[in-house]
Amino acid sequence: MAQKKCQVAVLISGSGTNLQALIDAAAAEDAGFELCAVISNKADAYGLTRARDAGIPAAVVSHRDYADRESFDRALIECIDGHGAELVVLAGFMRILTPGFVRHYSGRLLNIHPSLLPKYQGLNTHQRALDAGDAEHGVTVHFVTEELDGGPPIVQAVVPVEPGDTAGILAKRVQQREHSIYPLAVRWFAGGRLRMDGERVLLDGELLPPSGRVIRD
Ligand code: GRF
C-alpha cells in the first residue's frame, strides 16, 4: 500500500510563485507530500487561483474580519488544523504571527526569507544587500520561532551580486533559487529527515551548521 503523504498547508498573501513551485514538486510521484490547503489572508491573492487550478482546497481567512491578532490567529489555526495539516509553510504570508500560533506549530512551521539570514531580517532585502555592497546575496528557508525572521536556518541558496544589478534583477535571481530550495526543505521534512532542535536543525540526525545546508551556484 502507498505510504500516507505528509499533509502540507501553505499560507500566502500574494502571487504565490513559491506556492507554484510546491504544487509542481508535489506532483512528482516520490514527493512524499501533498498540499491539503492553501490559505490566504487576502481574497484577491493570485495564489488562490493557482491552488484552485491544481484542485487544492483554497480558503480565505481575512485579518480584517477579526478584532485582534489573537482571534485572527485562532481562526487560522482552526482552518489549518481542520484540513489535517502536519506541516505549515509560509510562502509570502504578510502577517506577523502571534507567539501562541508559533508555539502551536513549533517544529512544523517553515518560512522562506529573501536574504542570507541573519542578515537583513524584515523588508527590502535586495536593496539593502546592494546598498551594503555585498558580493553575495541569497535566500533562507528556516523553522519559525517567536523571533521574526529569526528561527534556525534549514537551507540557504547563495547567489552572486553582479555589477549593474538593480533590486529587481537581484530579486529575480534570488527567486529562481527560492523555487528550488523550498520544495527541497519540504521534501526533507516530509521524509522525516528534518527536525528542529532548539536553535539548530538536524538533517538525517546530523546537526547542520548555523546557516543550515548552504547551496551555491
Ligand atoms: C518571496 O520573495 C519570499 O522570499 C518572501 O515573500 C515572497 C513571496 O513571493 N517571503 P511569492 O508570492 O511566492 O511569489
Side-chain angles (χ1 to χ4, degrees):
M1 213 174 70
Q3 254 197 324
K4 193 181 165 295
K5 292 185 171 185
C6 178
Q7 301 296 299
V8 180
V10 183
L11 271 56
I12 59 163
S13 299
S15 108
T17 61
N18 280 284
L19 165 66
Q20 189 64 54
L22 291 164
I23 291 172
D24 295 345
E29 215 167 290
D30 62 350
F33 70 94
E34 74 190 3
L35 304 189
C36 61
V38 171
I39 302 166
S40 173
N41 65 312
K42 292 193 169 174
D44 62 354
Y46 181 65
L48 290 169
T49 303
R50 297 181 191 271
R52 291 185 189 114
D53 287 350
I56 300 162
V60 177
V61 181
S62 172
H63 55 281
R64 296 184 191 282
D65 293 341
Y66 298 89
D68 50 34
R69 283 189 197 281
E70 282 70 22
S71 51
F72 171 63
D73 280 8
R74 275 199 300 274
L76 266 184
I77 288 175
E78 204 173 299
C79 185
I80 294 166
D81 291 353
H83 283 91
E86 296 161 293
L87 174 67
V88 180
V89 169
L90 307 176
F93 186 66
M94 301 303 283
R95 300 295 301 172
I96 293 173
L97 296 161
T98 57
F101 182 98
V102 173
R103 274 197 299 272
H104 185 84
Y105 296 108
S106 179
R108 54 193 189 103
L109 179 58
L110 307 186
N111 184 41
I112 190 160
H113 183 77
S115 76
L116 298 174
L117 289 173
K119 274 190 164 183
Y120 313 131
Q121 300 174 346
L123 299 174
N124 301 322
T125 57
H126 310 301
Q127 189 59 52
R128 287 158 70 195
L130 287 175
D131 292 347
D134 291 353
E136 289 184 328
H137 184 44
V139 54
T140 306
V141 175
H142 64 97
F143 278 108
V144 176
T145 59
E146 289 177 39
E147 189 195 341
L148 185 66
D149 298 329
I154 297 165
V155 52
Q156 291 193 326
V158 180
V159 302
V161 179
E162 308 279 8
D165 271 355
T166 61
I169 292 170
L170 197 49
K172 282 215 177 78
R173 194 174 304 132
V174 168
Q175 258 167 18
Q176 276 186 351
R177 302 306 182 281
E178 295 188 6
H179 301 158
S180 62
I181 68 168
Y182 220 176
L184 175 67
V186 172
R187 276 201 305 273
W188 284 345
F189 186 93
R193 302 174 55 188
L194 198 61
R195 195 157 62 78
M196 184 169 86
D197 185 27
E199 283 305 299
R200 297 283 283 273
V201 172
L202 293 165
L203 177 63
D204 296 328
E206 297 210 356
L207 211 51
L208 290 177
S211 308
R213 173 71 55 85
V214 178
I215 297 174
R216 290 174 176 277
D217 277 9

